[in-house]
Amino acid sequence: MASSLSLQHRHGLALGLLSLSLSPALAWADSTLLETVTVTGEQIDSYHATSASVGGFGEAPLLDTPASVAVFTEQLLKDRQARLLSEVLSNDASTGESYAPIGYYENFVVRGFSLSAANSYKINGSTITGEQNVALENKQQVELLKGLAGLQSGVSEPGGLVNYVTKRPQNVRSVTVASNESGERYIATDLGGWIDSEQRLGVRANFAHEDIRSYVDNSDGKRDFASLAVDWNITDAALLQLDAEYQTREQRSVPGYQLLGGSVVPHGIDPKDRLADQRWSKPVGIDSLNLGSRFEYRFDDNWSANVSASRSRVVIDDYSAFAWGCYGAASCAGSAVPNYFSPEGDYDVYDFRNPDDTRRNDELQAALNGRFDSGPLQHELTVGSSALRRIVDRRDSVNEWVGTANIYQPVPDFAPTTEPLGHTYRRLDSRQYGLFFTDRLSYGDHWQAIVGGRQVRLDEKTFDIDGNTTRHTQRAEFLPNVALIYKPRPDISLYTSYSKGLSLGGEAAWFTTNADEILPPTVSRQLEVGAKRDWQGLSLGAALFRISKAYQYSRPNGDGSFTFVQQGEQENIGLELSASGHLTEQLQVAASAAAIRARVEDSGTDSYEGHQAINVPKVRASLHADYSIASIKGLALLGGLRYSASKYASQAGNVKVDGYTVFDAGARYTLDVEGYETVLRLTVDNLFDKRYWRDVGEYLGDGYLFQGAPRTARLSATVSF
């Protein structure tokens, strides 16, 4: 008890010191930005990570990383029994969902900006296609860089970057079985070891099968997953790492709601109801293959080189009954584009068919890393080059109206369309080449400066169904990244940074006057200032940022039509706070809070300006805690909460959804069964069965509202042998 009280006292002192350290840092609030970060933690049974790998450029302590980085460790993933990325990122307050329907791949907003499926997701630092629900069974941890990542990724969205870190070979054998309140069946295995006694060649294999039982009616599915990781220490100086993972997943997608009459939030809705439910619709199938390789050679203690190559391929088969708009309702007849439900709750049902939708990313990168001194300065230098190609092949899809239903009535049976599918054609061919460098200059024990940049060359073509080039963009851009770090003592760091990014242009919605047009890339800029503090296994952080990006949206025209344009600017200013690690010997936490002001300026549409941007709450907070019961060996109680303030559900800011607080609970019990370590886990999300709207964003010009899940429970048992 005395030691616990002492530890609590020390952490109280740590919090006080952090607040003092932030005072001078916040005075620099007009200048900041960040660099791309990936994190590798070594503490298996902890929520606390201490180091970060900067986009494959090398590993550095988080204290020496001038960026806001959230690391979700293996322990947190296990305790949350996470299967989807949304279950992971819900533990960070800077992150929200943006068009994440059940059964489809998920989309996210970080710092108020949407991530891109084209370039915002990586595995071991290599870019993957984001149109997939990446399996977590073979992941050691998930890392979230908040803010610009132009130096490491080139073309990327300003909100952030998600990096999955795969498990490496080690001696492990375990089986996990699980179920939920709906009778879900799940089994996963984790097998690994070294082939030889000298540990030169090691393998790690993960397998999983899941019969998905959703809380939404008629929305079940299944998933199969397999992965293999190989580490080959060819010599003491040469290392080859190989990774391969394949997943096939199918589940009926659940359409979102739209505003009634364009201005009223639906009410009295059961989250278990499935809109537009038709017997002839099929589950959405998503097959994904991710391959990666990395070779590293160490010339000596100071110099090394590495080469990495990767391929990520996703094929989506979509035969859905989809809810959108109200052309079929009499009360919507006066609207040229009624992309909302009628005031009475009527909505149109569409037969949407888009099979063989193929996305592929191929990436190659080489880098040289070295350390040397020049007078009083110590250098950590990285120079390299990269090439990335992304292609999109798709069919001319079918999207035909088949009838009109009502959100408060059972869905009638409609006949499916007989419209034939079109042929497959290449929609996009995007090639990105980069030359990059970064130099960390250290002066004494207190000062560090990071100077870096990437020269990007983008060569991108879009095509129509006849193979004609509809756009050819050739653009070269230098993306600088500079930062200054001051460490008054080894466990405190203050930083300020500036960076510039380049983002791909958005795609016009099907109902706009320039339907399917992909706009040219846009430039974004970020300033960031922050402070970090490590103390007895607890990491504290604060960051103040400002991000600006060209605004892209479906502009309303005078005749009721819409045109997708790039006009004006969105500027987001925010403050982030975080804490992770042990508060006492028995209690560890992962906590964060974020306050964001998101505004649109000079868009040409007055109603879209002067208020908070759509789907971005002004305040969000998250907490997950793990408390070990000292009197009962092996037992820990788990709990947490997720809070969101109210947020606008329309670009015009004429309607809001209420804020919410959701509580989670659970337990973990470790015991010995016949000599085998066994871990039982129980998680109960939304303990008090709160009704709330978790996501009210836009996707391809359409606004959708998705309810949060009701109370759900999951029980698992993991046996190690």
Side-chain angles (χ1 to χ4, degrees):
M1 175 65 76
S3 63
S4 297
L5 291 175
S6 171
L7 190 58
Q8 289 177 328
H9 174 74
R10 293 196 294 268
H11 284 132
L13 177 62
L15 289 168
L17 290 174
L18 177 67
S19 65
L20 292 175
S21 69
L22 287 179
S23 298
L26 295 178
W28 305 344
D30 285 335
S31 247
T32 70
L33 214 130
L34 52 69
E35 56 183 31
T36 308
V37 151
T38 58
V39 175
T40 51
E42 299 178 356
Q43 299 163 309
I44 298 176
D45 299 322
S46 175
Y47 298 164
H48 185 226
T50 60
S51 62
S53 166
V54 186
F57 295 171
E59 192 169 326
L62 289 176
L63 276 176
D64 295 338
T65 302
S68 183
V69 180
V71 182
F72 309 99
T73 64
E74 183 180 12
Q75 182 67 29
L76 183 62
L77 299 182
K78 289 179 177 179
D79 286 347
R80 295 288 294 139
Q81 300 192 65
R83 308 278 175 78
L84 294 169
L85 184 58
S86 57
E87 298 168 336
V88 179
L89 297 187
S90 65
N91 294 279
D92 186 85
S94 296
T95 306
E97 294 178 75
S98 179
Y99 193 77
I102 292 174
Y104 217 63
Y105 60 86
E106 301 176 306
N107 297 273
F108 299 92
V109 172
V110 181
R111 289 185 168 181
F113 290 101
S114 295
L115 301 186
S116 169
N119 48 51
S120 296
Y121 302 90
K122 294 176 178 287
I123 293 179
N124 297 329
S126 296
T127 306
I128 62 171
T129 58
E131 296 91 344
Q132 59 177 304
N133 291 308
V134 176
L136 298 175
E137 283 82 5
N138 69 325
K139 305 303 186 296
Q140 187 73 30
Q141 62 190 30
V142 178
E143 308 155 356
L144 172 64
L145 168 71
K146 290 172 277 188
L148 264 68
L151 172 63
Q152 296 78 7
S153 298
V155 178
S156 61
E157 292 302 308
L161 182 73
V162 175
N163 184 55
Y164 300 88
V165 179
T166 58
K167 297 175 180 178
R168 304 317 309 169
Q170 66 179 68
N171 294 318
V172 60
R173 292 181 297 173
S174 70
V175 175
T176 299
V177 295
S179 186
N180 65 3
E181 78 289 342
S182 300
E184 181 176 278
R185 292 176 295 179
Y186 173 85
I187 184 169
T189 61
D190 187 1
L191 306 171
W194 296 95
I195 305 299
D196 61 322
S197 59
E198 296 181 351
Q199 297 191 355
R200 292 239 178 226
L201 182 63
V203 297
R204 186 80 172 262
N206 291 89
F207 305 93
H209 172 78
E210 182 179 9
D211 289 324
I212 303 170
R213 298 292 180 265
S214 172
Y215 62 85
V216 179
D217 296 336
N218 301 322
S219 301
D220 296 340
K222 63 180 181 180
R223 176 176 71 96
D224 289 290
F225 170 74
S227 71
L228 180 67
V230 177
D231 283 5
W232 182 18
N233 293 288
I234 304 171
T235 68
D236 291 341
L239 170 65
L240 177 64
Q241 295 181 318
L242 303 174
D243 287 273
E245 60 181 59
Y246 173 76
Q247 179 174 258
T248 178
R249 191 180 195 277
E250 61 177 47
Q251 185 180 7
R252 291 184 182 273
S253 65
V254 179
Y257 290 80
Q258 294 186 297
L259 295 173
L260 306 185
S263 60
V264 177
V265 176
H267 59 276
I269 304 301
D270 189 339
K272 297 181 180 180
D273 289 343
R274 185 176 184 273
L275 294 178
D277 191 13
Q278 297 293 302
R279 289 175 292 179
W280 41 262
S281 68
K282 300 179 182 180
V284 176
I286 304 178
D287 290 349
S288 58
L289 175 67
N290 300 308
L291 304 174
S293 63
R294 186 176 188 274
F295 176 75
E296 180 179 359
Y297 187 82
R298 297 178 296 280
F299 300 101
D300 53 37
D301 291 342
N302 295 320
W303 290 91
S304 66
N306 61 78
V307 179
S308 62
S310 66
R311 164 166 287 189
S312 177
R313 185 175 183 268
V314 173
V315 180
I316 304 170
D317 288 322
D318 196 349
Y319 291 87
S320 299
F322 195 73
W324 181 91
C326 58
Y327 279 106
S331 58
C332 297
S335 176
V337 184
N339 57 339
Y340 47 81
F341 291 178
S342 80
E344 301 80 23
D346 294 330
Y347 64 92
D348 293 338
V349 179
Y350 287 80
D351 187 345
F352 180 73
R353 304 184 180 190
N354 187 32
D356 306 320
D357 187 0
T358 303
R359 320 293 174 99
R360 195 185 81 208
N361 285 14
D362 295 308
E363 187 172 38
L364 179 66
Q365 180 172 286
L368 175 68
N369 309 285
R371 300 179 185 176
F372 60 95
D373 296 340
S374 62
L377 296 178
Q378 298 175 332
H379 298 261
E380 296 179 31
L381 177 68
T382 296
V383 294
S385 64
S386 65
L388 171 65
R389 185 185 186 191
R390 174 175 169 86
I391 62 171
V392 177
D393 294 329
R394 57 177 297 181
R395 287 180 179 268
D396 186 21
S397 60
V398 171
N399 189 33
E400 293 293 319
W401 178 88
V402 296
T404 299
N406 188 278
I407 63 175
Y408 303 112
Q409 303 294 331
V411 184
D413 290 329
F414 301 114
T417 183
T418 57
E419 193 74 17
L421 284 166
H423 64 80
T424 300
Y425 69 102
R426 179 143 299 173
R427 180 74 181 96
L428 174 74
D429 190 338
S430 181
R431 307 181 188 215
Q432 180 190 152
Y433 308 95
L435 295 173
F436 56 85
F437 78 95
T438 179
D439 190 7
R440 181 187 298 270
L441 300 96
S442 301
Y443 181 79
D445 297 329
H446 302 295
W447 291 96
Q448 297 179 26
I450 297 176
V451 180
R454 176 184 286 261
Q455 180 66 42
V456 173
R457 180 175 172 268
L458 181 67
D459 190 344
E460 185 173 86
K461 293 181 179 180
T462 60
F463 308 92
D464 62 19
I465 192 171
D466 297 318
N468 302 312
T469 301
T470 56
R471 177 175 61 82
H472 186 190
T473 298
Q474 292 179 302
R475 182 164 180 173
E477 196 82 31
F478 179 71
L479 307 177
N481 184 298
V482 294
L484 181 66
I485 302 172
Y486 174 62
K487 301 179 71 174
R489 44 185 288 176
D491 57 356
I492 297 177
S493 72
L494 310 174
Y495 70 87
T496 181
S497 65
Y498 167 80
S499 55
K500 180 180 176 183
L502 188 67
S503 306
L504 296 177
E507 181 176 355
W510 66 271
F511 59 82
T512 60
T513 59
N514 56 337
D516 297 330
E517 179 183 356
I518 299 177
L519 300 185
T522 67
V523 171
S524 54
R525 293 174 175 83
Q526 176 180 277
L527 297 170
E528 182 170 333
V529 61
K532 300 180 181 183
R533 176 83 159 104
D534 274 358
W535 182 256
Q536 299 282 341
L538 181 69
S539 291
L540 304 171
L544 184 65
F545 64 86
R546 183 179 69 192
I547 304 175
S548 59
K549 179 190 175 183
Y551 186 52
Q552 300 179 108
Y553 74 111
S554 297
R555 184 188 64 202
N557 302 319
D559 59 357
S561 64
F562 294 84
T563 302
F564 190 60
V565 298
Q566 187 181 111
Q567 185 174 342
E569 184 179 79
Q570 181 174 338
E571 181 181 81
N572 293 2
I573 300 173
L575 173 66
E576 297 167 338
L577 304 174
S578 64
S580 63
H582 282 271
L583 287 174
T584 70
E585 293 181 3
Q586 287 78 42
L587 177 63
Q588 60 175 326
V589 300
S592 63
I596 299 176
R597 179 186 185 274
R599 293 289 190 272
V600 173
E601 300 177 347
D602 302 322
S603 68
T605 304
D606 292 342
S607 61
Y608 288 15
E609 302 181 13
H611 54 77
Q612 189 80 350
I614 186 174
N615 200 34
V616 183
K618 292 182 179 179
V619 179
R620 189 186 270 121
S622 176
L623 169 68
H624 188 81
D626 175 331
Y627 183 74
S628 299
I629 307 297
S631 57
I632 306 177
K633 184 180 179 181
L635 178 63
L637 300 181
L638 312 174
L641 63 85
R642 291 164 280 145
Y643 167 77
S644 172
S646 62
K647 49 193 175 186
Y648 285 111
S650 70
Q651 295 280 24
N654 60 339
V655 58
K656 276 185 176 182
V657 296
D658 294 334
Y660 60 86
T661 301
V662 175
F663 293 90
D664 306 318
R668 182 186 66 250
Y669 185 47
T670 304
L671 68 160
D672 186 279
V673 179
E674 300 293 330
Y676 299 115
E677 182 185 77
T678 302
V679 183
L680 305 177
R681 288 184 172 89
L682 171 67
T683 58
V684 182
D685 292 338
N686 194 358
L687 180 65
F688 301 112
D689 205 22
K690 175 76 173 179
R691 297 289 184 266
Y692 66 99
W693 297 99
R694 61 165 170 83
D695 171 15
V696 295
E698 281 198 346
Y699 182 72
L700 292 178
D702 293 322
Y704 296 97
L705 300 91
F706 292 93
Q707 292 193 92
R711 179 171 51 243
T712 57
R714 182 173 287 163
L715 178 65
S716 70
T718 300
V719 181
S720 299
F721 55 94

